[in-house]
Amino acid sequence: MKKRMATLICAGLAAAFLAGCSGKAAETAPATTAAETTVAAAEAKTETAAPAAEAAKPDNFPKKNIKIIVPYDAGGGVDITTRLLTDAAGKDYFDGKSLIVENMPGGGAVIGHTAVANADADGYTLLAYTSAVVNNPILKEVTYDLSSFKTLGMVCFDPEILVVPPTAPYKTFEEFIEYAKTNTVKVATPGHSTAHHIAAIQFAKELGLNFEYLHNDSSAVQMQQLMGGHCDAAFMAVGESVSAVNDGTIIALAMGGEERNPNIPDVPTFLEKGSSLVYGAFRGYACPAGVPDDVYAYLVSEFDKIITSEKFIQGMNDAAIPYAYKSAADFQEYAENEAENLKALAPELKQ
């Protein structure tokens, strides 16, 4: 029986701090591994998705194209996933109107989150909704919280991966651990309090490593920092790093799935190397909480069709981004559960 996705997050966070955490959770849907990223994944729709397909189009919506705010730079995993979504949508949904991507990076996604939370709740401004929506209100001073948004559906669970530049003095997991126990390693993340930052904190605490953090706003910047010698290592998402790993641009030491990723089969899991780290970032979409019920139901209905379409899932496969579906209702419950899990660890993460 597969371990559930919420268990991955709970176990990944709690293992560093709570000895003997079993990682069992009973109420969330199973995570989808990269090996299961197939068109058949669309058949995993839960019962909560059924009403979405039946939602009627509101009389006056949409009258124009719909904007999706990506709160990160172009070129990162969230940006790529969202552009795959807009490409899959084309003009076949939303009464012939298009989904348009607008990048709004900054503050570890806070700028984009704030813009959507404060946007007119008319259904024309949506959010690429990631783990940072859960993390930021708990770990930072922001003007929004989880209740500021309503989810439209989840499309991805992307495991963490530890990567280093080819010029690093360590080429294996064991060499890296030995080095980081006696030297300070500068680790790049795509933002303070992101899933990647949290994973790095947990990993360092578990193994007694000396990490100093270099935070930025995207995996594209992380890659530049790696190649420019501005950092010694980075925690990224698997889907963002597969190409660079396979062409030798960076070296992957271990990844945070329960099983190896078929796109990088030579990269071991942290579990294989004796670490308990099973962790990653989720991606999906949301709208401001104040969107009218009829518009919200229609958005959920159209998004559900797009994110379970063969074109979108094939695009995710081709981009090596791990597809993991949750309906709007299940995604909302999942995010709320993750917020509760994180609150218990907030004091440690705020240090």
Side-chain angles (χ1 to χ4, degrees):
M1 180 176 180
K2 298 178 184 177
K3 289 188 178 179
R4 300 181 183 279
M5 188 177 300
T7 303
L8 296 180
I9 303 296
C10 181
L13 287 167
F17 311 108
L18 304 177
C21 175
S22 66
K24 288 284 183 180
E27 297 300 325
T28 52
T32 305
T33 66
E36 297 165 319
T37 311
T38 64
V39 173
E43 298 175 0
K45 296 171 68 174
T46 60
E47 293 300 318
T48 54
E54 301 170 2
K57 177 187 173 302
D59 291 338
N60 297 315
F61 183 88
K63 293 182 177 179
K64 60 183 180 179
N65 292 335
I66 298 168
K67 178 171 57 180
I68 302 178
I69 300 295
V70 173
Y72 302 99
D73 284 324
V78 181
D79 177 70
I80 293 170
T81 299
T82 303
R83 293 181 189 278
L84 290 172
L85 177 86
T86 60
D87 181 64
K91 293 186 176 294
D92 296 332
Y93 305 87
F94 301 108
D95 201 27
K97 302 301 187 293
S98 298
L99 295 173
I100 306 297
V101 176
E102 180 177 335
N103 296 92
M104 193 177 292
V110 169
I111 291 176
H113 294 170
T114 304
V116 177
N118 294 335
D120 291 337
D122 54 12
Y124 290 105
T125 303
L126 310 179
L127 175 68
Y129 184 105
T130 69
S131 312
V133 179
V134 172
N135 302 347
N136 284 340
I138 297 172
L139 302 174
K140 299 179 181 180
E141 293 294 328
V142 298
T143 58
Y144 60 89
D145 59 25
L146 209 61
S147 67
S148 301
F149 309 99
K150 293 195 292 189
T151 55
L152 301 173
M154 189 175 101
V155 301
C156 174
F157 180 81
D158 206 348
E160 293 295 325
I161 189 167
L162 170 61
V163 296
V164 300
T167 55
Y170 29 77
K171 299 294 190 294
T172 68
F173 181 87
E174 290 77 13
E175 290 174 353
F176 177 83
I177 298 303
E178 182 179 358
Y179 182 89
K181 284 185 175 181
T182 56
N183 298 274
T184 298
V185 175
K186 186 176 290 186
V187 177
T189 84
H192 189 285
S193 304
T194 59
H196 311 289
H197 181 207
I198 292 170
I201 289 173
Q202 181 213 324
F203 184 64
K205 188 175 181 70
E206 180 186 26
L207 298 182
L209 310 181
N210 301 305
F211 282 1
E212 176 184 312
Y213 297 101
L214 179 61
H215 301 303
N216 56 68
D217 290 317
S218 75
S219 63
V221 177
Q222 284 179 282
M223 199 67 70
Q224 293 169 8
Q225 291 169 337
L226 281 165
M227 301 314 300
H230 303 297
C231 66
D232 305 309
F235 271 76
M236 305 176 69
V238 165
E240 296 171 333
S241 57
V242 165
S243 297
V245 170
N246 284 332
D247 67 18
T249 301
I250 55 177
I251 298 173
L253 303 183
M255 52 83 64
E258 290 190 298
E259 300 173 352
R260 294 194 183 198
N261 186 298
N263 295 300
I264 43 174
D266 294 332
V267 179
T269 66
F270 288 105
L271 293 176
E272 290 177 63
K273 293 298 184 178
S275 167
S276 63
L277 186 64
V278 179
Y279 194 72
F282 64 76
R283 299 179 199 138
Y285 298 91
C287 63
V291 167
D293 290 345
D294 60 338
V295 174
Y296 176 66
Y298 177 69
L299 286 169
V300 170
S301 174
E302 294 295 273
F303 263 80
D304 199 75
K305 295 171 189 174
I306 298 166
I307 67 179
T308 59
S309 68
E310 181 174 350
K311 184 174 182 180
F312 176 65
I313 297 172
Q314 187 60 55
M316 294 282 279
N317 272 327
D318 293 343
I321 298 175
Y323 175 86
Y325 168 86
K326 279 187 183 294
S327 68
D330 286 347
F331 190 22
Q332 187 73 41
E333 181 180 3
Y334 170 69
E336 291 169 359
N337 287 340
E338 289 314 301
E340 291 304 312
N341 291 336
L342 184 59
K343 286 176 184 176
L345 300 171
E348 182 81 26
L349 294 167
K350 287 181 177 180
Q351 291 181 0

